Amino acid sequence: RILTRVLRAAQPFAALGLGPSELQGGTAAVKEVLAQFEKVALPAMVSEDRRQLAIAAHDRIRQAASAVEGLLAVDSFATQLLAEVFCFMDEEGGIPSQQRAAAMLGVEPGCGESIVQSAIERRYQALLTQLLPLSPEPVSQGLRALAELAEIAARPQGQVWMPEKRDAHITRALGFRDMKRPRRLIGTEVASEVLQLDDGASCLVLLTDGARGVTESRLGEVVNLHR
């Protein structure tokens, strides 16, 4: 499990499994994670079929530890802020809702670009920028994540059209022969509806039957991501 976590990590904090609260322990917290890894997952300690994975993971976690220790040495608070951004994006699966993105930045949803940018400049911009020369890749990645959050939070909230009947229809094109014959558990008829669209941009959202709990506002947020 630890090998998988390290190798799949998209940034050094995830490789180490450290968030903002753990980083308050400074470089000692980083050294402790590295020591725990080396107790159980050194290449010499794993089976032959996992040896190459262990070698790659060991190199990766040592690089991550070195990078985070260097960041902490420059500014521990700025490093915690960077970890905060990454942890938030991981928790949201990389696609936060507008409400969550706005809450993260301390602004109101749909407040506009200037307000969001001011919030980022106050809390993040200067502190993270000073870390760039030391560790360009993760810091640039964090700044790009902030830009994505800013776009989501600032976007005006729009109205979403929803059909009155939200049934999901499974038709012949999707197969499921065993559920159609000899006993018709699902229909075989093609479901269709003709709609008159208003002028302007339209977006078609395809949902499965399991998406009945998705709200109109959430659909609107997802649609706005692709406008």
Side-chain angles (χ1 to χ4, degrees):
R1 182 180 298 177
I2 193 171
L3 296 179
T4 302
R5 186 202 74 202
V6 172
L7 291 174
R8 288 183 177 178
Q11 31 84 11
F13 301 103
L16 295 167
L18 294 176
S21 58
E22 293 86 359
L23 288 171
Q24 292 177 10
T27 57
V30 179
K31 295 182 186 300
E32 176 63 21
V33 169
L34 187 58
Q36 291 297 325
F37 176 91
E38 293 179 341
K39 282 182 181 180
V40 298
L42 279 177
M45 297 178 178
V46 302
S47 59
E48 184 64 32
D49 61 323
R50 296 189 175 186
R51 189 69 49 80
Q52 293 303 315
L53 289 177
I55 291 173
H58 190 218
D59 289 343
R60 180 74 183 279
I61 200 168
R62 288 179 63 187
Q63 292 171 5
S66 176
V68 174
E69 283 181 331
L71 293 172
L72 287 168
V74 172
D75 191 321
S76 60
F77 180 67
T79 304
Q80 292 172 42
L81 287 180
L82 182 60
E84 178 183 273
V85 174
F86 284 130
C87 286
F88 176 80
M89 294 298 281
D90 287 344
E91 290 171 359
E92 298 297 311
I95 310 178
S97 67
Q98 187 175 46
Q99 285 75 14
R100 290 281 290 153
M104 170 68 178
L105 299 177
V107 297
E108 291 295 322
C111 61
E113 293 182 10
S114 61
I115 293 176
V116 172
Q117 194 56 47
S118 295
I120 290 176
E121 290 175 358
R122 283 195 305 271
R123 181 168 174 80
Y124 296 101
Q125 195 74 37
L127 289 170
L128 296 189
T129 301
Q130 69 174 332
L131 300 177
L132 265 173
L134 180 66
S135 194
E137 185 174 348
V139 177
S140 296
Q141 188 179 352
L143 291 172
R144 288 194 298 271
L146 283 172
E148 292 177 16
L149 290 173
E151 182 183 354
I152 295 170
R155 187 178 297 119
Q157 296 177 302
Q159 296 295 319
V160 181
W161 172 86
M162 296 285 293
E164 293 183 3
K165 188 177 181 182
R166 296 185 62 185
D167 294 340
H169 302 282
I170 301 174
T171 68
R172 287 188 294 260
L174 295 182
F176 293 106
R177 177 173 179 171
D178 293 341
M179 299 184 71
K180 298 175 182 176
R181 297 177 182 174
R183 184 181 176 195
R184 291 183 57 183
L185 300 179
I186 63 174
T188 58
E189 297 80 13
V190 176
S192 63
E193 183 178 358
V194 178
L195 302 173
Q196 184 68 42
L197 300 180
D198 296 331
D199 293 338
S202 299
C203 182
L204 177 65
V205 181
L206 302 179
L207 301 175
T208 66
D209 195 37
R212 291 177 180 272
V214 179
T215 64
E216 295 182 16
S217 60
R218 179 57 180 150
L219 286 175
E221 293 167 3
V222 174
V223 167
N224 281 329
L225 290 175
H226 302 282
R227 297 182 74 179

